[in-house]
Amino acid sequence: MDYRGRFAPSPTGLLHAGSLVAAVGSWLCARHAGGQWLVRMEDIDPPREVPGSAAAILGALPAFGLVPDAPIEYQSSRMDAYDAAFERLRRDGLVFPCWCSRSDLAAAGGIHRDGRCIARPDPARAPAWRMRVTDERIAFVDALQGPQQQALREAVGDFVIRRVEGFYSYQLACVVDDAWQGITQVVRGSDLLDSTPRQIWLQHCLGLPTPHYLHLPLVLDSEGRKLSKSERSREVDPADPMPALRRALTFLGVAPEETAVHPSELLQAALGHFAPHRLTQCSDHRVA
């Protein structure tokens, strides 16, 4: 199968150093494999979205030499597909309605287990919908982080796939769209490593293929915290892309070409020295 990778930001702020690392890392992996690199805007959580950020992120990518090989897809236009996936899970008895509050779950250690709602059904309000999980242990090999495994029931329990407001979860939308777009390898930040077993479980339940995974280290601030899109000082400047692009490549363990003067030239030079197994594995250094 031909390689297909993707960068899938959410519109919760402007492009910053951490998301640029994810974009560059996924682009390098796709180009190294001679494959396609796609961009998908994960805009299915309106309460968290920052107006104008989707257009700003998409407008910034070409300034850094990152141009997708197909039209950009928006998850907000894919609700029919998520509805269909949800109905299949409901038909197969794999999801159940849940009226549990945080205080209800606190008594159970904060994790919902065994496919039963702790709270009583309340016909006066809409429920969330949770995915039933079993004692199955999900195992996979991450191309950078190595062998991984998780006992879903103990680690995360029955997880939400549709919220009370009717919004679908990241887990469901991501799985449906990765399969629809034919993604063969997911390259993203290691903050999502813990989500991968849930996504593999959903893939199994929906009869969808499981791509390969590679989770990049996170860009941390000087105090060891993950950079947030809300930290304006961490935004990258599309009007002056070379400094941020050089820092992203250095962070990934790819020595940037000092003589390059244009982002596309810098990326092509980096590609000539790139190998996925030599990527930086851990977040062992900081961005001041």
Side-chain angles (χ1 to χ4, degrees):
M1 181 182 293
D2 293 337
Y3 185 106
R4 270 197 161 195
R6 48 72 161 180
F7 173 57
S10 56
T12 54
L14 301 180
L15 192 71
H16 62 84
S19 51
L20 181 61
V21 163
V24 171
S26 61
W27 184 93
L28 286 170
C29 287
R31 291 294 182 260
H32 176 77
Q36 291 184 308
W37 184 72
L38 310 182
V39 173
R40 180 174 75 225
M41 182 56 62
E42 299 196 330
D43 54 344
I44 56 166
D45 192 355
R48 294 183 62 239
E49 291 178 17
V50 174
S53 61
I57 291 170
L58 298 176
L61 291 175
F64 291 94
L66 301 168
V67 180
D69 297 310
I72 294 162
E73 299 291 347
Y74 294 80
Q75 287 191 330
S76 56
S77 69
R78 297 269 301 149
M79 293 303 165
D80 288 348
Y82 311 144
D83 287 340
F86 175 77
E87 288 304 323
R88 173 172 175 170
L89 294 172
R90 185 159 65 171
R91 183 188 68 225
D92 292 343
L94 297 174
V95 296
F96 63 95
C98 178
W99 287 269
C100 292
S101 65
R102 291 182 180 178
S103 59
D104 292 329
L105 290 178
I111 296 179
H112 200 300
R113 297 190 177 98
D114 301 325
R116 296 189 305 272
C117 184
I118 300 170
R120 292 183 178 181
D122 183 355
R125 60 188 180 96
W129 286 80
R130 291 182 180 270
M131 186 77 187
R132 299 181 194 274
V133 302
T134 67
D135 290 328
E136 183 172 347
R137 185 173 293 272
I138 302 294
F140 66 101
V141 178
D142 186 88
L144 188 60
Q145 305 300 331
Q148 308 289 321
Q149 60 177 330
Q150 186 182 79
L152 282 178
R153 181 182 179 277
E154 294 304 313
V156 298
D158 305 319
F159 56 94
V160 172
I161 64 165
R162 195 170 81 177
R163 288 160 38 188
V164 171
E165 307 94 327
F167 302 134
Y168 285 107
S169 73
Y170 162 76
Q171 312 295 355
L172 181 68
C174 178
V175 161
V176 169
D177 285 342
D178 281 343
W180 174 64
Q181 291 186 286
I183 301 302
T184 59
Q185 185 180 48
V186 173
V187 178
R188 59 190 179 188
S190 59
D191 54 329
L192 293 169
L193 187 62
D194 182 66
S195 289
T196 306
R198 277 171 279 177
Q199 293 176 10
I200 293 174
W201 177 245
L202 276 168
Q203 290 155 2
H204 290 172
C205 292
L206 289 168
L208 300 176
T210 296
H212 299 287
Y213 291 94
L214 187 155
H215 286 84
L216 299 166
L218 298 180
V219 180
L220 307 176
D221 66 16
S222 58
E223 297 181 7
R225 299 172 301 186
K226 175 190 170 184
L227 289 188
S228 167
K229 290 181 181 177
S230 63
E231 298 180 62
R232 295 188 59 84
S233 62
R234 307 305 178 188
E235 295 166 8
V236 294
D237 184 4
D240 184 22
M242 294 295 279
L245 189 54
R246 290 184 187 279
R247 287 194 296 269
L249 289 168
T250 300
F251 180 85
L252 289 168
V254 183
E257 174 58 57
E258 293 300 327
T259 61
V261 297
H262 189 273
S264 60
E265 182 184 1
L266 182 58
L267 287 174
Q268 288 301 321
L271 191 58
H273 304 287
F274 175 74
H277 70 274
R278 292 204 295 265
L279 282 164
T280 302
Q281 183 179 24
C282 301
S283 302
D284 57 359
H285 56 287
R286 310 285 192 252
V287 174

